[in-house]
Structure formats: C-alpha cells, structure tokens
Amino acid sequence: MRLFPRRRHPRSSGRHHPRWLPPIRLLLTFVVLPPILGMALLATSTATTRWAQRDAADAMTRDAVELDRLIVLRGDVASEHVTAASITTGTDLGISPARLSALYHIDFIGQMRLARDTVNADPTVTAYPDLTADLLRLRVLRSEIDAGNSGFAAVEVLFARFEGDIDRRWQNRFDDARRLETTASHGLGSASDQLDVVQATFTAFHAALARTSFTNAVLTGHKTQANIEAVIAANTRFSTAVADFSSRLGPRATIAWREVQADPASRHFDAVVDEAIRVGVGGARSALSSDPTAYGASLIAAGNWVVDLTHVNAAASIDLNDHIRLLRASAQRAFLLAMIGASLAIVLAAVAAALTASAVARPARRLASSARRISDGAFSIPPLSRSGVRELADTSRALNDLTATLAALEQYAITLARDPTSPTLNRRLPGPTGAALQATVDQLRDSVYEREHHRVELQEAATHDVLTGLLNRGAAMDAIERDVARSQRDEIPMMVLFIDLDAFKNINDTYGHHVGDAALRLTAEALRAATRQSDVVARLGGDEFLVAGSASSPEEMENIARRVHDAISSQSVSSDGRRIAIDNSIGIASIQFGDTAESVIRNADDALYRAKRRGRNQVAWNRPDLSRAREGAVQSPLAS
C-alpha cells in the first residue's frame, strides 16, 4: 500500500560523457552482476535440493509416526481380541469367565477391561471414520459378550473387520513412505533398509496371524489338505520374514524382538505349530485335541505371542522415525552451509564492487537514485551516507529527514487502515514536517476508532438479546442453519433443546415484571454455566430458550438436558422475602437426515409440549419411541 501513487518524470537532458569513459553504472554491472547471479543460482539450486530433502524427511516422519500409532492400535485391538475370543470360547462350551480364570490362572475379566480401556483411549481411532465406526460396533458386541449372548464366531467376524481396516490404513501409510523414499531427488535412499525392516516385521505379523488360525484349524480336527498346506505356507512366510529382518533391526526393534524370543509363550507356540504340521502331514492325532486345558493354554499363548509381534513392528517404526530425523538434521545442516557459503560469496562480490565504485560521482548518483525512488512513492529506502563534498552531504541529510518523515507517514496510513488501536500510532512522526502532520493523523485515528466501535455496538445489538445477552432468534436461526448443514455434511450427531419456564406468566402477574426479568437473567446465567462454549445458546423470546450443539448419542443428549434442567432449577428469585423456584420443561430433538433449522426446532417444540402434558418440570423426546424407551430414565431424576 502506498500513500502516494508512483509517477514517471521525463529525465532532463544534459551533456553526454565522452564515449571512451565508461559510466559507473555499467562498470558496477560488469563487476557485481555476474558473480552475484552465479552465487544466487548456485545457492538457489543447492538450497532447493536441501529444502526438498528436508520436506521429504518431514513427510516421511509423519508417515512413520502414523505407522507407529496404527500398529500400537493394532496391538491394543489384538489384546482385546485375545481376551474376547477366550471368554466367548468358554461361553460356547458353557464355561463361565470365572471358571475360565480359575482353570488357566488368568484374570480374563481384568485383562478384558484393561484392553477395552486402552482401545477406547487410543486417539488414532477417532482420526479415521471407518475405525470410529468399527469401535461403535465393537461397543455393541462388548455388551453382548458381557451378557453372555455372543459366541466365538461373532467375535472373530467383528475383530477381523476392525483389524483389517487398521491393516489397510497401515499399508496405505507405508506405501506413502515408500513412494517418498523411492523419489531419487529427495535423497532419502538410506531409509530404504529401515523401510524394508518395517515391512518385514509387518509381514511376519500377518504370517503369524495366519499361522495361528490354520494351526487352530488343523488341531481341532479340520485337517483338510488346504488347511495343512496353509499352515505350512504361513510357517514358511513367517520364517522367511524373520530371517529377513532379524539381522537388520534397529536398536528399539532389537530389544523388542529379543523379548519375543525370550517369552515362554513364543517357544511354546512354536512347538504347537510344529505339532500341527506333524499331525497334518503324518495323519496322527494331536495330544492337545484330547486335553482342553492344554489346548486352551496353547491358544492363549498364541494370542499373546501375536500381540507381542506388534510391539516389534511398532519398535521398527520408531527406529525408522529416528533414522529419518537424522536425515532431516543432515539436510538442514547442508542447507544452512549452502546459504552461508553463498552469502559470503555475495558479500565478497559486493565489497569488490564498492571498492571499484569509489569514484567522485558515486555520492551524486546515490542521491539522484534516491530522489527518483522518492518521486515514485518508495519511501522505505536506506538512509544516504553523508559522503562526498559538503553540499552533497548536507543534501543527503535533508533528503534522509524527508524520507524518514514520508516513510513513517506511509506506515501510519497502512496501520491506521488495518488496526486503529495499534500502539505503533502512539509514536511521534519524526522531523518538523512530521510534527505538523501528527495532529491530522491523530484526529483521523480517533474518527476511524469511533466508527469501528459504533459498528461493533450495532453488530452486538443486532445479534443479541438486550435483557439476557444471549443470541436472539435471528442469530440463533443462522447458527443452527450452519450446524444442521454441518451435521448433514459430516454426519455429526447433533441435538436441539427447547426450554420453557413453567408458570413464568404467573411470576410476572403475581410478583411483577422486574421479578420475571430477574428470572430470565438467572436462566441465561444458568444456561451459560451448564453448556459448552461451542453450543448455540439463545433466547427465542418471552420465556423460551434454545440450546443446540453436538452430541454423540441419545444418552449424551439426555445428560446435557438434565444438566441444563438442574442448573436452571437450582436458581430462584426473591420477592418480599419469598424465594420463588424457576421450574422448567425441556424438549429434546436430534437432527435427522433432511432436517432444516425450522423442522428440528419444531420437533424440539413438540417434545417440549409432550413434557408439559406429562406434568411439567421434566425432559421429553420428540420421538415417541425414544420417549417411551427412556421415560423412566428421564423423569425420575428431574421430577420435583
């Protein structure tokens, strides 16, 4: 932004220099331009390459971190899978969890609770919509397991889907990292070995899953040729993957792999796999098939062993991340060294040019150049040095003072347009001319500030209720329209609460409008305290209020409604020493597909009238099915 427009002035004609005397400008061009351009091109090329390497390392770091998060989640889900499969297998056989724990000396219930809490708390689930949906289905299955209504087959189907979705997400991330590594210009080739290790550990993990599944099939009597060949193939893939990564593991993965090898469950299950292959190939009957206790212990050991392999994969991802950090630091150092070298070369070229241009005409040319720039409206220029003869030095000083004043005035104008309250405007303009202009600038700033303040007041008055300070009906409708659109677009569950004060007209008629206004203000304060900052809280008019916001389930909607109800009910107004309680009724409506702001508010209003008809001072749903199903849960704690 410029205070004054640029203008072009025809240059005055003057005496030409003799042709055999090169002008200083041309001399400077030949001296300065070639080395500066060469250094700039070199610096740009080097810096671009190093910067690309650093950006690629940053991107691969993000991929490595996400790989680690996904495999940790995979291990957490696998842990819950193991305990859920053990308990439901007992359920299928008529063995209670308590009896199962006593039989194998394992606290299955405690392990299951710990595994569930770990999966629920993992933030990676909420980062992906498909994993979030899997967790919701898992929560339903958990209820069935706890009630003893779910068997092993249902557990396997759901966990296979959940774990498959995690594996697909992991593979997509790994493919992204591999593409970055194979881009030659990024210089990340040294990460190839670490990526191979990560892939090999993941391959071993999947081979271990297949080995466990087909071993179970062979030992339980399903000795088909396909199952026998599958367990042998899975065992071969597992051994090949282990041979591929065991000698190339990083420090963290090496420790994790040693722990797996030292785990008795690992050695025990290796023996079980060998027996399954022997039984399948030789046709003999396994001793485990007639010993349920030993067979169950083998399956539990297999599950724990598979979970341990996820720790190896997670450790390999961390090792990859550490290696990429080293690559990034190396690229960063190379970038800085390239920039420092180029800067030194440019400085040396500039010093040589300065020595070459030590002619008498140089101060005059600088003065002329600065004058032209000021005439074009460029005031932010370096001050002229007071060199040359006295007249030129005095002229340079006067031009410096004028330039500083004009530059400061231009900056004042820019700041005044952007932020009239900026403390920068409190600094005085320099020079005598600046002092003369300061009064005008101050007056203009006051005018702009008053206009902005008035605009803010008008905006506040147009969108907020005067008595309570809450949003008014118009602003609330605009906000709910946006929430409804977002709910429909992003499939985010949302709710609307319609609140009405019971017997408010009686308060106004009996105690006066000042008591009624006090009740409305207290209601507004209660709503602010009981709702979240992201919620829409408004007064629609009279004693009607509205709250809208996100809620993940009907239970959460009811909890919010109860909290709002209790917060309002805890308030009371006084008149002539008498305390008057503020009773209220609330209608709940959830936003459904195809709803508009008007329709969902109308649904909440219908629910409010249902609450009124049931006796007031309670919460009701707009849908009869939800209202009947939750009637007891809603009315008991709210009725007064």
Side-chain angles (χ1 to χ4, degrees):
M1 177 178 180
R2 296 194 174 275
L3 186 61
F4 305 112
R6 291 182 178 273
R7 293 173 296 178
R8 295 292 182 184
H9 300 284
R11 298 182 181 178
S12 59
S13 61
R15 180 181 298 176
H16 292 282
H17 293 288
R19 292 182 180 275
W20 59 85
L21 294 178
I24 294 178
R25 181 179 300 171
L26 182 60
L27 182 61
L28 286 174
T29 300
F30 280 113
V31 172
V32 177
L33 192 57
I36 288 182
L37 286 178
M39 291 300 102
L41 289 174
L42 178 60
T44 301
S45 176
T46 303
T48 300
T49 300
R50 299 304 184 186
W51 198 263
Q53 291 174 358
R54 198 201 73 158
D55 286 346
D58 285 341
M60 190 178 285
T61 297
R62 290 191 293 271
D63 289 336
V65 169
E66 194 62 19
L67 287 175
D68 178 51
R69 292 176 58 192
L70 286 167
I71 202 63
V72 168
L73 174 61
R74 184 64 164 83
D76 295 340
V77 173
S79 295
E80 183 175 351
H81 185 177
V82 169
T83 55
S86 300
I87 290 176
T88 52
T89 299
T91 301
D92 291 342
L93 298 175
I95 302 174
S96 68
R99 174 59 183 156
L100 202 64
S101 298
L103 186 62
Y104 294 107
H105 306 290
I106 297 174
D107 182 9
F108 286 101
I109 297 299
Q111 287 188 357
M112 183 170 62
R113 289 173 180 170
L114 179 60
R116 288 178 178 179
D117 292 341
T118 303
V119 172
N120 291 339
D122 198 313
T124 307
V125 177
T126 58
Y128 299 100
D130 53 343
L131 302 187
T132 302
D134 289 333
L135 181 58
L136 292 176
R137 285 187 286 269
L138 177 57
R139 285 175 173 165
V140 175
L141 179 64
R142 288 169 178 172
S143 300
E144 296 294 322
I145 294 173
D146 293 343
N149 297 328
S150 178
F152 176 79
V155 168
E156 290 302 297
V157 170
L158 191 144
F159 275 98
R161 179 173 182 174
F162 199 168
E163 292 165 345
D165 288 340
I166 298 174
D167 291 344
R168 281 189 291 274
R169 289 289 183 180
W170 189 96
Q171 190 62 52
N172 291 338
R173 276 289 183 174
F174 182 84
D175 292 341
D176 292 341
R178 179 65 80 183
R179 280 192 292 271
L180 283 172
E181 177 267 325
T182 54
T183 303
S185 61
H186 289 162
L188 297 177
S190 61
S192 176
D193 192 56
Q194 294 291 332
L195 279 171
D196 290 341
V197 169
V198 171
Q199 187 173 40
T201 56
F202 194 67
T203 300
F205 169 72
H206 271 276
L209 289 175
R211 196 167 74 147
T212 302
S213 176
F214 290 114
T215 295
N216 179 37
V218 171
L219 292 179
T220 52
H222 300 85
K223 292 190 293 184
T224 65
Q225 186 64 28
N227 285 341
I228 295 170
E229 293 175 355
V231 72
I232 295 173
N235 193 50
T236 302
R237 287 199 309 274
F238 177 76
S239 300
T240 301
V242 169
D244 187 24
F245 72 68
S246 58
S247 62
R248 298 191 293 164
L249 293 174
R252 297 176 187 270
T254 297
I255 295 173
W257 177 239
R258 287 173 180 171
E259 291 176 352
V260 170
Q261 290 178 306
D263 189 351
S266 175
R267 295 193 298 271
H268 176 77
F269 190 67
D270 283 340
V272 173
V273 174
D274 292 339
E275 181 172 354
I277 295 175
R278 180 181 59 80
V279 168
V281 174
R285 178 179 176 82
S286 171
L288 294 176
S289 62
S290 60
D291 188 349
T293 301
Y295 177 70
S298 298
L299 288 184
I300 294 170
N304 294 333
W305 172 73
V306 170
V307 171
D308 288 343
L309 284 176
T310 64
H311 300 160
V312 179
N313 198 193
S317 298
I318 296 174
D319 288 335
L320 171 64
N321 195 10
D322 293 340
H323 183 75
I324 295 170
R325 285 196 182 99
L326 293 177
L327 292 178
R328 184 190 185 282
S330 176
Q332 182 80 7
R333 285 193 298 271
F335 171 78
L336 292 176
L337 290 175
M339 293 302 296
I340 291 173
S343 300
L344 288 175
I346 292 173
V347 169
L348 290 175
V351 170
L355 295 175
T356 306
S358 59
V360 176
R362 186 170 185 176
R365 289 189 180 279
R366 286 203 306 266
L367 186 61
S369 176
S370 296
R372 284 194 297 271
R373 294 176 66 183
I374 293 172
S375 177
D376 290 341
F379 307 130
S380 299
I381 59 176
L384 293 171
S385 62
R386 295 176 60 188
S387 60
V389 296
R390 178 183 301 176
E391 288 78 4
L392 289 175
D394 292 342
T395 304
S396 296
R397 182 183 61 186
L399 190 62
N400 287 340
D401 292 341
L402 179 60
T403 301
T405 300
L406 292 176
L409 184 60
E410 182 181 48
Q411 188 60 41
Y412 262 50
I414 295 173
T415 305
L416 185 63
R418 293 177 178 173
D419 183 10
T421 64
S422 173
T424 304
L425 300 176
N426 296 328
R427 294 199 293 265
R428 300 292 94 183
L429 291 172
T433 305
L437 293 172
Q438 188 67 51
T440 302
V441 172
D442 290 342
Q443 185 177 4
L444 181 60
R445 178 177 64 170
D446 293 341
S447 175
V448 172
Y449 181 77
E450 289 178 3
R451 184 182 63 182
E452 178 64 17
H453 183 68
H454 184 59
R455 186 192 66 80
V456 172
E457 289 181 340
L458 289 177
Q459 178 70 17
E460 181 75 13
T463 59
H464 287 73
D465 176 56
V466 176
L467 177 63
T468 63
L470 300 179
L471 293 177
N472 59 25
R473 177 183 289 272
M477 291 296 293
D478 292 340
I480 295 175
E481 285 286 1
R482 291 192 296 270
D483 283 352
V484 169
R486 182 164 61 93
S487 174
Q488 306 282 8
R489 182 186 65 245
D490 300 336
E491 299 182 358
I492 299 174
M494 303 194 74
M495 62 153 192
V496 171
L497 307 181
F498 204 115
I499 303 122
D500 183 82
L501 302 186
D502 298 333
F504 178 73
K505 183 177 184 301
N506 185 53
I507 293 176
N508 270 338
D509 294 345
T510 304
Y511 304 103
H513 286 282
H514 66 287
V515 177
D517 289 347
L520 295 175
R521 285 191 291 268
L522 287 173
T523 300
E525 293 176 4
L527 287 174
R528 290 189 188 97
T531 55
R532 301 159 296 189
Q533 188 174 4
S534 60
D535 293 336
V536 176
V537 183
R539 179 190 177 196
L540 300 183
D543 60 339
E544 294 179 339
F545 296 84
L546 183 142
V547 173
S550 62
S552 60
S553 64
E555 290 78 6
E556 184 179 359
M557 296 179 189
E558 291 178 9
N559 290 337
I560 295 173
R562 291 171 182 161
R563 187 168 66 246
V564 169
H565 179 277
D566 292 343
I568 299 174
S569 299
S570 67
Q571 303 290 333
S572 62
V573 293
S574 60
S575 177
D576 297 330
R578 180 178 179 183
R579 306 298 298 179
I580 303 107
I582 305 177
D583 294 335
N584 62 97
S585 298
I586 299 178
I588 310 174
S590 60
I591 295 178
Q592 305 295 322
F593 181 77
D595 274 343
T596 63
E598 292 183 356
S599 65
V600 73
I601 291 175
R602 184 168 57 252
N603 291 339
D605 192 23
D606 292 341
L608 172 66
Y609 280 104
R610 180 173 287 109
K612 294 280 190 181
R613 289 195 299 269
R614 289 203 312 227
R616 302 188 176 188
N617 197 31
Q618 58 185 271
V619 173
W621 284 84
N622 68 301
R623 292 166 52 190
D625 55 341
L626 285 175
S627 183
R628 288 193 300 270
R630 320 193 82 87
E631 183 174 2
V634 174
Q635 287 186 9
S636 297
L638 299 182
S640 62

